[in-house]
Amino acid sequence: SSAKFSKSTVRKFIMKFAIAFANTGPFINPDKAVAMAQAAEAAGFESLWTVEHVVVPADYQSPYPYSDTGKMPGGDDSPIPDPLIWLTYIAAATKEINLATGILILPQRNPVVLAKELATLDFMSNGRMLLGTGVGWMKEEFDAIGVPFSERGKRNDENIAAMRALWKEDKASYHGEYVNFDNCILRPQPVKGSIPIHIGGSTDIAAKRAGRLGDGFFPAGGSHEEIARIIGVTRESAIKHGRNPDDVEITTGGNGAIGPNALEEISALEALGVDRVIVPAFLFYRGTEDTLAQYGEEVISKVN
């Protein structure tokens, strides 16, 4: 029963709306990216979520987990701008919309350097940064970067803990298998004391990680039954680790959240415990500003 996963009714629920794959397709163009971001902000979207691959080795054999073909959509040579640089550019052209990675492949990054980059972007945008993370799936990319693919889960968790220490503590120390530092001062620190970290992934391991240490969980879309089940895994993990499961914000959605049945789909997702509905940018490629405004009028304004 979906009631098992419903959110607390103590507070008035407001659904958040977001755009995924924001830094792809025509929105790699600076002018079109700014126009889209400003139109999304005006339409009532809460956040923009960017994707990343540093490189895509030609003829990669690692299976892409979100497609039956095992290959990423768009081809190996589709441009994917660095998400943080793209978001920084957008931050300067917007005022309120949140800036998110969905996802950034955290184990590939140096967490001390990344903590500084994220804190700077958050500070310069007045606290609008959301960090969606994933452990990655393309071994060939890890090989090119020089990070062992087999260690990515442990590195991911250490990197999260190390960055939070740098963001929250006056003089931060952290000691792990991969990250070690003492009495390090990172300034500026995030505007709200830290940056929310949303765990991405479609596996039970990702769901359990989100319940254990995430501020949010960003599972891939699927049937309502699949979404309900994996949200349940997250909530159970949160309870197991002494956390309030309602503190783990759920972001998911897909093509069903746009079109003639959008309101029904969003209502169903809300009943499952979803906090943020995310729709892909490619649905707004044609007539971007008009279609975003229309979505704001016909969906966002009626839900909230």
Side-chain angles (χ1 to χ4, degrees), residues 187-207:
R187 298 292 186 277
Q189 289 177 306
V191 171
K192 299 170 185 175
S194 190
I195 292 172
I197 296 179
H198 296 251
I199 306 299
S202 59
T203 65
D204 282 13
I205 293 174

Side-chain angles (χ1 to χ4, degrees), residues 141-153:
E141 183 180 22
F142 276 78
D143 292 344
I145 293 170
V147 175
F149 185 69
S150 61
E151 298 175 355
R152 67 195 190 282

Side-chain angles (χ1 to χ4, degrees), residues 46-243:
E46 173 265 348
S47 51
L48 298 169
W49 294 63
T50 53
V51 293
E52 103 157 328
H53 279 290
V54 176
V55 292
V56 179
D59 303 318
Y60 65 87
Q61 298 300 307
S62 299
Y64 178 66
Y66 307 111
S67 168
D68 293 337
T69 67
K71 297 294 181 182
M72 294 189 300
D76 298 357
D77 59 352
S78 295
I80 305 174
D82 179 274
L84 299 185
I85 293 177
W86 190 93
L87 288 170
T88 301
Y89 189 84
I90 293 305
T94 54
K95 295 180 179 179
E96 297 179 355
I97 198 163
N98 285 319
L99 312 162
T101 58
I103 51 85
L104 182 142
I105 308 170
L106 185 56
Q108 295 179 350
R109 302 274 186 145
N110 179 304
V112 179
V113 177
L114 179 62
K116 180 60 168 254
E117 293 171 338
L118 291 167
T120 301
L121 176 50
D122 184 81
F123 183 81
M124 298 299 289
S125 65
N126 293 314
R128 289 192 276 152
M129 189 67 216
L130 306 174
L131 176 62
T133 70
V135 299
W137 56 271
M138 189 186 293
K139 181 180 182 299
E140 295 87 345
E141 183 180 22
F142 276 78
D143 292 344
I145 293 170
V147 175
F149 185 69
S150 61
E151 298 175 355
R152 67 195 190 282
K154 290 181 179 180
R155 283 181 179 272
N156 180 84
D157 293 1
E158 281 198 18
N159 288 358
I160 287 174
M163 291 193 301
R164 282 177 169 160
L166 289 163
W167 292 334
K168 294 179 179 181
E169 299 173 16
D170 287 338
K171 296 179 180 178
S173 297
Y174 182 84
H175 300 286
E177 186 175 350
Y178 307 105
V179 189
N180 284 278
F181 53 82
D182 275 305
N183 296 321
C184 286
I185 300 169
L186 182 142
R187 298 292 186 277
Q189 289 177 306
V191 171
K192 299 170 185 175
S194 190
I195 292 172
I197 296 179
H198 296 251
I199 306 299
S202 59
T203 65
D204 282 13
I205 293 174
K208 291 176 181 178
R209 178 178 282 119
R212 175 165 50 87
L213 53 76
D215 298 300
F217 180 40
F218 181 18
S223 69
H224 291 169
E225 291 75 19
E226 291 167 340
I227 293 172
R229 190 197 68 79
I230 205 161
I231 290 176
V233 173
T234 301
R235 294 176 68 82
E236 289 166 9
S237 174
I239 293 168
K240 178 181 177 181
H241 291 91
R243 305 182 65 205

